[in-house]
């Protein structure tokens, strides 16, 4: 990613974490044999200038396995923190159906000040 974001900076670190969590969920919960997932990222800049928003989307082929509202994870558990982290870092996130089958999980993160 070369949008002028500082390597090791908080914005790029947050983006890397969200990409990793959404991709891991697609591999773990959205996998269909013979199918992969699709990851896209777009930096949306407002016309009046400003920092913009990074939109991350991960699409997979399992439409019936939707992320649920995330309860607090068990303190001793090894799983269940991915979407809690996404929710903490993202401005907003959600799920959309994907035609003809599957779903797209998306998250929007703030970009660094310009």
């Amino acid at each position: 990613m070369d949008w002028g974001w500082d390597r090791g900076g908080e914005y790029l670190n947050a983006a890397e974490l969200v990409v990793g969590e959404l991709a891991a969920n697609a591999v773990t919960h959205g996998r269909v044999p013979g199918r992969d997932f699709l990851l896209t990222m777009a930096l949306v800049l407002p016309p009046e200038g400003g920092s913009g928003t990074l939109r991350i989307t991960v699409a997979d082929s399992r439409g019936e396995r939707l992320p649920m509202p995330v309860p607090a994870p068990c303190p001793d558990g090894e799983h269940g923190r991915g979407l809690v982290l996404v929710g903490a870092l993202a401005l907003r996130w959600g799920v959309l159906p994907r035609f003809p089958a599957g779903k797209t999980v998306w998250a929007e993160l703030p970009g660094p000040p310009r």
Side-chain angles (χ1 to χ4, degrees), residues 8-111:
E10 67 178 291
Y11 295 97
L12 187 55
N13 287 345
E16 290 171 345
L17 186 87
V18 170
V19 166
E21 292 298 337
L22 295 184
N25 281 350
V27 169
T28 304
H29 305 293
R31 188 166 129 13
V32 172
R35 303 262 175 111
D36 291 323
F37 66 90
L38 175 66
L39 166 72
T40 61
M41 296 189 306
L43 184 58
V44 181
L45 297 173
E48 66 278 356
S51 61
T53 302
L54 176 65
R55 185 171 175 90
I56 301 165
T57 63
V58 177
D60 65 50
S61 299
R62 297 281 306 261
E64 77 282 3
R65 300 208 51 195
L66 299 176
M68 303 302 285
V70 184
C74 173
D76 298 333
E78 294 181 15
H79 303 284
R81 289 173 176 76
L83 291 177
V84 172
L85 293 172
V86 170
L89 294 170
L91 297 168
R92 59 195 151 270
W93 71 275
V95 183
L96 297 169
R98 184 175 183 226
F99 182 79
K103 66 184 171 298
T104 299
V105 182
W106 59 270
E108 293 180 346
L109 282 71

